[in-house]
Amino acid sequence: MNFSIDREILLENLNIISRGLPAKSPMPILTGIKMEVTTSDLYLTSSNTDISVETFISDSSLEITKPGKTVVPGRFFIDIIRKINSKKVNLCLLDDKILLIKADRGEYKLHIMDPLDYPNIDFVTLENPLELSSECLKMLIKQTSFATAQSEKKPILTGVHFSLNDTKLNVTATDSFRLSQTILEIDNYRPFNITIPNKSLDELSRAMDTYNDKVSLYFATNKLLVKFKNVLFQTRLLDGNYPDTSRIIPPAFPIVIKFNKNELLDAVERVSLLSPREKMSTNELSYSIIKLTVSEDRNIILSTTNASVGDAQEELVPLDVQMNAPITIGFSSRYLVEALRSFESSEISLNCSEGIRPFVIRGEKDPNLTQLILPVRMD
């Protein structure tokens, strides 16, 4: 194998390929990047069993002297290509044992692995795609993925549920303490029900970071393939039935408070600096708990009391208040901050029910997005 290529082109594809590289693996071969050069093209492949990524390079700067294939140590190879300053790099195999990288006056040698040991990646057949814009797919991920469970106690909750019925694509995430749901209109596509691991979606979003065009989604029994540009990004799907969340959202809200989103966000972050922390469950992260009080005269106070540190209190100026009784609710400040950041709207509303019932956040310019948070008792 012997070829040269523009460094920027190679690095751009390596950054995408890195999304499929495991931090560690019981299979050492998977820590490498499979590189295959044909008489005219270059293929790069990575896999961590959950995610598999392949890029196809057919650039005018690609000059192939000799075809071949190998597996190179992934992280080291990417770091070398990232750090060198040469416009072009030349790569060739020495005795099928060493990859020689030449860049201007520099030479780097990497011990390679046997490509025959690399597992065969079975990519989904490219038939009957669902097409979306990359901006739309990235937005769906941004609005939901953060609300998935981090614990593996209920594996199905570590994923985002995508369900298409009729013309409505319902995208939902929950960790049992909060819910994020967004709806997208889809025309002329068959119904489906899948749950995609949150880590796969986060890596997909990063891989599409600078891409702004159409993406194609291909479905199989236990896999999803996303094709964009010269990239195939495949992820496994989670097994099991996703819980029915349709009845979680309260049917009516006697209290509706409208805020400027950024003003509320800033106030929550300031007050939470002194808030006490409460563990949601064993071995999970602790969350800052703060309190929102709406008095009879419609004064709104955000506060927290921490016996070991001090107190914080801030009066909020709402855009509008609709209420039939005063209310006090406690909640995780982190949950509210993450929910608020998912909205494009500059104005949002907190929709509250009486008692310890979930409250819902909605935005004026995000009619299809719903964020729900379960309060905590403040007794």
Side-chain angles (χ1 to χ4, degrees):
M1 185 180 79
N2 189 336
F3 70 95
S4 62
I5 189 172
D6 183 281
R7 171 190 162 274
E8 290 293 334
I9 296 295
L10 180 58
L11 182 59
E12 177 186 343
N13 283 271
L14 287 175
N15 285 334
I16 295 172
I17 282 294
S18 69
R19 301 301 164 197
L21 284 176
K24 57 182 179 179
S25 173
M27 296 176 62
I29 191 71
L30 290 183
T31 63
I33 294 172
K34 183 181 178 183
M35 185 184 303
E36 182 170 358
V37 184
T38 67
T39 55
S40 58
D41 309 304
L42 168 63
Y43 293 84
L44 301 173
T45 306
S46 66
S47 180
N48 61 14
T49 67
D50 286 339
I51 299 171
S52 297
V53 188
E54 182 176 275
T55 66
F56 161 80
I57 304 174
S58 183
D59 187 74
S60 58
S61 71
L62 179 61
E63 298 177 4
I64 298 169
T65 305
K66 182 180 179 182
K69 57 184 175 181
T70 187
V71 178
V72 298
R75 300 296 177 188
F76 289 105
F77 183 55
I78 293 172
D79 285 343
I80 290 171
I81 301 302
R82 183 176 289 129
K83 292 293 185 182
I84 58 180
N85 293 320
S86 172
K87 178 173 176 53
K88 240 186 173 184
V89 292
N90 178 263
L91 299 96
C92 66
L93 288 182
L94 303 178
D95 301 324
D96 289 330
K97 295 179 180 179
I98 300 289
L99 177 69
L100 174 64
I101 306 167
K102 291 184 178 181
D104 287 341
R105 294 185 293 273
E107 287 190 0
Y108 307 85
K109 293 179 180 179
L110 286 176
H111 294 281
I112 60 172
M113 292 173 271
D114 190 342
L116 295 177
D117 294 334
Y118 201 87
N120 181 44
I121 308 299
D122 183 21
F123 284 100
V124 173
T125 304
L126 301 182
E127 293 179 354
N128 192 26
L130 169 63
E131 293 196 339
L132 299 173
S133 70
S134 60
E135 292 92 339
C136 178
L137 183 53
K138 285 185 280 190
M139 182 59 69
L140 293 176
I141 296 170
K142 174 191 172 186
Q143 292 176 336
T144 57
S145 183
F146 67 88
T148 55
Q150 302 304 309
S151 168
E152 295 285 344
K153 290 179 182 178
K154 295 181 179 178
I156 195 70
L157 296 186
T158 63
V160 178
H161 186 62
F162 286 67
S163 174
L164 178 63
N165 291 298
D166 295 326
T167 61
K168 294 187 182 298
L169 176 62
N170 194 315
V171 184
T172 305
T174 182
D175 61 2
S176 297
F177 302 104
R178 57 177 167 176
L179 171 78
S180 178
Q181 181 183 81
T182 187
I183 297 172
L184 182 69
E185 288 289 331
I186 299 290
D187 292 327
N188 302 320
Y189 200 78
R190 58 181 171 80
F192 60 82
N193 252 300
I194 61 172
T195 305
I196 308 171
N198 55 7
K199 293 179 181 177
S200 297
L201 288 173
D202 290 342
E203 294 297 350
L204 173 60
S205 184
R206 294 186 185 104
M208 295 190 300
D209 185 37
T210 60
Y211 180 71
N212 297 299
D213 207 337
K214 290 286 185 182
V215 298
S216 299
L217 281 65
Y218 301 87
F219 303 89
T221 303
N222 57 356
K223 290 181 286 191
L224 169 71
L225 174 65
V226 182
K227 184 179 185 300
F228 59 98
K229 201 169 52 173
N230 63 324
V231 181
L232 298 179
F233 185 105
Q234 183 166 279
T235 173
R236 72 178 179 94
L237 300 177
L238 294 175
D239 294 326
N241 295 320
Y242 201 82
D244 181 7
T245 59
S246 60
R247 299 180 183 178
I248 295 176
I249 301 174
F253 301 99
I255 299 176
V256 179
I257 314 167
K258 293 184 179 180
F259 290 101
N260 175 286
K261 183 188 74 174
N262 290 332
E263 289 180 4
L264 177 60
L265 186 58
D266 292 344
V268 170
E269 290 183 322
R270 287 192 293 267
V271 170
S272 66
L273 292 173
L274 296 184
S275 60
R277 296 183 176 269
E278 176 179 296
K279 279 198 172 182
M280 304 302 283
S281 63
T282 308
N283 298 326
E284 286 197 5
L285 298 172
S286 58
Y287 298 87
S288 301
I289 305 301
I290 61 177
K291 180 171 65 175
L292 185 140
T293 302
V294 184
S295 64
E296 289 186 3
D297 57 4
R298 287 175 164 74
N299 281 343
I300 300 175
I301 301 295
L302 201 62
S303 63
T304 188
T305 300
N306 190 329
S308 61
V309 179
D311 303 335
Q313 177 176 300
E314 191 160 329
E315 184 174 351
L316 300 177
V317 180
L319 300 174
D320 185 42
V321 179
Q322 300 172 28
M323 59 179 287
N324 59 6
I327 189 173
T328 297
I329 53 174
F331 52 86
S332 159
S333 62
R334 176 190 159 196
Y335 282 176
L336 182 56
V337 165
E338 291 179 340
L340 291 174
R341 285 176 176 164
S342 72
F343 286 92
E344 296 293 305
S345 304
S346 59
E347 295 180 9
I348 59 93
S349 63
L350 297 188
N351 304 269
C352 307
S353 302
E354 296 171 346
I356 307 299
R357 298 197 68 191
F359 65 92
V360 166
I361 307 134
R362 292 196 170 109
E364 55 163 353
K365 293 183 179 178
D366 302 271
N368 296 319
L369 175 62
T370 299
Q371 298 289 352
L372 177 147
I373 297 174
L374 187 68
V376 296
R377 290 189 176 275
M378 300 301 291
D379 302 338

